[in-house]
C-alpha cells in the first residue's frame, strides 16, 4: 500500500508526498493494518529533535612485538588491503602561528603534579562557615567586638536625622529609583548599598579620617597558602573594596592572640575540606592585592558583597558568610605577603579586614584578624573571626498591599525598619577613623 501511494504522489511534490504518507501510516495504524508504534513523523530530522550524534571513539592501534605491519608507504600511493603507514610529525623550522600545536599539559615547562584548589566568587562551599574556618585556620566568635559597636552608640558619631535619612535611602532604592513597577533585586541592592555608604561618608565634616579612603571596584585578588598537604588560593574579583591610607586597629590583644593556640579546629569528617573548590593547575603561585605597589590607599578596610539573586550562582546565607570570610582572609593574607614576604610566621602586628554583605534586606557582618601566616599545621596560633549574621534592615517594602481574605496583612510602602542594623553598619564604617 505504501509503495503504491509513493508512486502515485511522486509527481505531486515531496511535501505533499510526506504529508500523505504520514496520514496513511496513521490510518493503517488505527485500523490494525500495520504494527507501527505510535506516530512516525518522516519529516522530522535529528537537528529538530536536538539530538547530538555520538562522538566517534578513536581507534586504538595495537602494536604486536615481533610482528611488522605491511604498509603502502614504500609505494607512495594507497593500496587496498595494506595498512596505513605512520609518518613522523613534520616540525617547521620557523614559527607559524596558524599551525601552532600546544604541548601536552604534562610537557609544560611550569607544570606541577600537585593541583591547586581555588576559591572564587562563584564557589558554593558545602559546609559553609565551618569549611571556611578550617581553610583559614581561624577561631569563630559570634557577635561583633564591643569596642566597635560602641562607636555608633555615641551621639557625636551619629548622623543628623539618621533614621529618617536611612529610611529615605531604602525608599529611594526600592520605589523611587526606577521607571518600572518595581526594580530588579540587582539594581536596588547596589543602589541601597551606595546610598548607605554615601550617608556614612557625610560624617567626614566631623571625622577627617573618613576622607582618607577610596572605593575600588572590579579589582582582582590572588592569595596562595598551604594547608595540610594541599595548596589553596583565593582568586578573582569580589565586590566593592573600601581602601584606606592607614590600617585598621587590632581587635584582639597579644594575650588573647596567644590563647588561640589552645583552640581545637572543628572538622567535618568524612567530608573533604576541598569539597566544591575548583581543582586546577597553577603554574605560578602568585600573591598580589590587585593594586600597584605605589598605590596611595594600600590597606583594605571593608569589603562589600552583594547577593542579588540574579546571578547564575545563588548563595544561601551560610555559604555567603563563608565567602565573606574567605575573601576577607584573602585580602589580609595578600597584604601580609606584600609586607613580610611569603615565609610563614606569626605577625607582630595583626592585619584586620572587615566585610559586609547584603541582599537588599538582610545584612551580614564579618570582621577578620590575621594573626599568623603559618597555616599548614593545625597547631599554633589561630586567626580570629567575628560574625554577626542575619540582621534585617526592614521587614517589608511593598509597592502594593498584601491582602488576604479582605484584610490588609502588609501595608504598602516601607514597614518594620530596624535602626540597630544600620548602627552596626555605621560602626564598621567609622572603625579606624574615630
Amino acid at each position: 500500500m505504501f509503495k503504491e501511494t509513493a508512486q502515485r504522489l511522486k509527481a505531486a511534490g515531496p511535501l505533499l508526498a510526506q504529508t500523505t504518507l504520514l496520514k496513511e501510516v496513521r490510518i493503517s495504524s488505527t485500523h490494525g493494518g500495520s504494527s507501527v508504534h505510535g506516530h512516525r513523523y518522516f519529516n522530522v530530522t535529528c537537528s529538530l529533535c536536538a539530538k547530538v550524534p555520538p562522538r566517534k571513539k578513536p581507534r586504538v592501534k595495537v602494536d604486536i612485538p615481533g610482528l611488522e605491519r605491511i604498509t603502502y608507504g614504500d609505494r607512495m600511493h594507497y593500496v587496498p588491503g595494506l595498512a596505513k603507514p605512520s609518518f613522523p610529525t613534520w616540525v617547521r623550522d620557523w614559527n607559524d602561528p596558524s599551525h601552532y600545536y600546544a604541548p601536552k599539559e604534562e610537557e609544560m615547562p611550569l607544570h606541577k603534579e600537585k593541583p591547586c584548589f581555588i576559591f572564587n566568587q562563584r564557589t558554593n562551599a558545602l559546609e559553609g562557615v565551618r569549611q571556611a574556618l578550617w581553610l583559614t585556620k581561624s577561631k569563630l566568635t559570634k557577635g561583633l567586638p564591643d569596642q566597635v559597636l560602641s562607636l555608633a552608640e555615641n551621639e557625636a558619631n551619629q548622623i543628623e536625622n539618621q533614621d529618617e535619612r536611612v529610611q529615605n535611602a531604602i525608599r529611594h532604592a526600592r520605589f523611587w529609583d526606577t521607571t518600572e513597577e518595581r526594580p530588579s533585586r540587582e539594581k536596588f541592592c547596589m543602589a541601597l548599598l551606595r546610598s548607605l555608604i554615601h550617608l556614612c561618608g557625610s560624617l567626614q565634616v566631623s571625622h577627617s579620617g573618613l576622607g582618607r579612603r577610596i572605593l575600588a571596584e572590579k579589582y582582582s585578588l590572588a592569595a596562595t597558602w598551604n594547608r595540610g598537604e594541599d595548596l589553596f588560593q583565593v582568586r578573582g574579583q569580589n565586590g566593592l573594596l573600601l581602601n584606606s591610607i592607614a590600617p585598621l586597629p587590632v581587635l584582639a590583644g597579644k594575650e588573647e592572640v596567644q590563647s588561640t593556640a589552645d583552640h581545637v579546629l572543628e572538622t567535618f569528617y568524612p567530608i573533604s575540606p576541598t569539597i566544591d573548590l575548583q581543582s586546577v593547575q597553577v603554574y605560578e603561585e602568585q600573591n598580589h592585592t590587585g593594586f600597584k605597589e605605589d598605590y596611595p590607599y594600600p590597606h583594605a578596610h571593608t569589603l562589600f558583597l552583594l547577593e542579588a539573586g540574579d546571578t547564575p550562582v545563588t548563595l544561601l546565607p551560610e555559604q555567603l558568610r563563608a565567602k565573606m570570610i574567605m575573601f576577607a582572609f584573602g585580602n589580609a593574607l595578600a597584604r601580609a605577603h606584600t609586607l613580610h614576604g611569603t615565609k610563614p610566621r606569626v605577625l607582630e602586628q595583626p592585619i584586620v579586614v572587615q566585610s559586609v554583605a547584603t541582599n537588599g534586606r538582610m545584612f551580614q557582618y564579618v570582621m577578620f584578624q590575621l594573626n599568623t601566616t603559618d597555616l599548614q599545621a593545625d597547631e599554633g596560633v589561630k586567626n580570629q573571626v567575628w560574625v554577626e549574621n542575619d540582621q534585617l534592615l526592614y521587614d517589608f517594602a511593598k509597592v502594593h498591599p498584601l491582602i488576604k481574605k479582605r484584610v490588609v496583612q502588609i501595608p504598602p510602602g516601607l514597614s518594620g525598619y530596624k535602626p540597630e542594623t544600620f548602627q552596626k553598619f555605621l560602626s564598621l564604617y567609622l572603625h579606624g577613623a574615630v
Side-chain angles (χ1 to χ4, degrees), residues 61 69 71 83-88:
K61 295 182 180 180
R69 303 172 65 186
T71 65
K84 181 180 179 180
S86 57
F87 299 103

Side-chain angles (χ1 to χ4, degrees), residues 251-270:
L251 298 173
K254 292 184 179 180
E255 296 181 359
E256 187 177 352
V257 170
Q258 293 297 328
S259 64
T260 59
D262 301 331
H263 177 71
V264 179
L265 296 174
E266 183 180 2
T267 60
F268 32 90
Y269 180 83

Side-chain angles (χ1 to χ4, degrees), residues 84-330:
K84 181 180 179 180
S86 57
F87 299 103
T89 305
W90 178 51
V91 180
R92 292 174 175 80
D93 297 334
W94 65 93
N95 184 18
D96 189 359
S98 61
H99 293 84
Y100 172 76
Y101 293 95
K104 296 181 180 179
E105 184 179 345
E106 297 80 9
E107 298 175 359
M108 287 287 193
L110 298 177
H111 174 74
K112 299 178 182 178
E113 296 183 358
K114 185 178 180 180
C116 179
F117 296 95
I118 303 294
F119 192 102
N120 54 40
Q121 61 179 347
R122 292 191 173 187
T123 301
N124 191 354
L126 175 65
E127 291 298 319
V129 174
R130 291 196 305 167
Q131 186 173 352
L133 293 176
W134 189 93
L135 292 175
T136 60
K137 190 182 176 181
S138 302
K139 176 184 177 181
L140 175 64
T141 303
K142 294 185 178 180
L144 299 179
D146 295 335
Q147 64 267 30
V148 177
L149 293 176
S150 61
L151 296 177
E153 295 176 357
N154 189 355
E155 294 182 359
N157 298 331
Q158 294 181 358
I159 306 169
E160 185 179 359
N161 299 326
Q162 178 172 301
D163 294 339
E164 181 182 355
R165 297 175 69 178
V166 173
Q167 293 182 61
N168 287 336
I170 299 172
R171 295 187 183 98
H172 172 265
R174 295 301 303 263
F175 307 130
W176 303 339
D177 188 25
T178 182
T179 56
E180 304 174 356
E181 185 177 1
R182 56 171 58 90
S184 62
R185 181 177 293 274
E186 183 178 5
K187 183 177 180 179
F188 76 73
C189 278
M190 179 59 73
L192 177 61
L193 181 60
R194 287 192 176 273
S195 296
L196 295 180
I197 294 175
H198 177 75
L199 194 60
C200 295
S202 63
L203 291 173
Q204 183 178 343
V205 179
S206 57
H207 300 82
S208 60
L210 299 179
R212 294 190 287 270
R213 299 175 181 177
I214 194 171
L215 270 175
E217 188 176 2
K218 293 186 177 180
Y219 78 102
S220 185
L221 170 73
T224 310
W225 74 99
N226 288 285
R227 185 77 175 93
E229 299 179 354
D230 299 318
L231 180 67
F232 295 92
Q233 188 179 69
V234 175
R235 186 170 68 188
Q237 297 181 2
N238 49 97
L240 295 172
L241 180 65
L242 183 66
N243 288 342
S244 177
I245 295 179
L248 282 169
V250 177
L251 298 173
K254 292 184 179 180
E255 296 181 359
E256 187 177 352
V257 170
Q258 293 297 328
S259 64
T260 59
D262 301 331
H263 177 71
V264 179
L265 296 174
E266 183 180 2
T267 60
F268 32 90
Y269 180 83
I271 298 176
S272 172
T274 61
I275 190 170
D276 291 327
L277 301 185
Q278 183 184 8
S279 177
V280 299
Q281 292 289 339
V282 175
Y283 295 152
E284 296 182 1
E285 299 178 10
Q286 297 182 352
N287 293 275
H288 59 84
T289 60
F291 304 95
K292 295 183 179 180
E293 296 181 359
D294 57 347
Y295 187 60
Y297 305 91
H299 301 281
H301 185 278
T302 305
L303 175 65
F304 297 98
L305 299 176
L306 297 178
E307 183 53 40
D310 299 334
T311 57
V313 179
T314 302
L315 301 180
L316 296 175
E318 180 72 12
Q319 281 68 32
L320 180 59
R321 289 190 289 270
K323 177 181 176 180
M324 296 168 64
I325 294 173
M326 293 301 298
F327 276 104
F329 162 77

Side-chain angles (χ1 to χ4, degrees), residues 8 47 98 154 159 244 247 253 258 398 408 422 430:
R8 183 163 22 95
S47 60
S98 61
N154 189 355
I159 306 169
S244 177
Q258 293 297 328
K398 293 290 186 180
V408 178
F422 178 74
L430 293 175

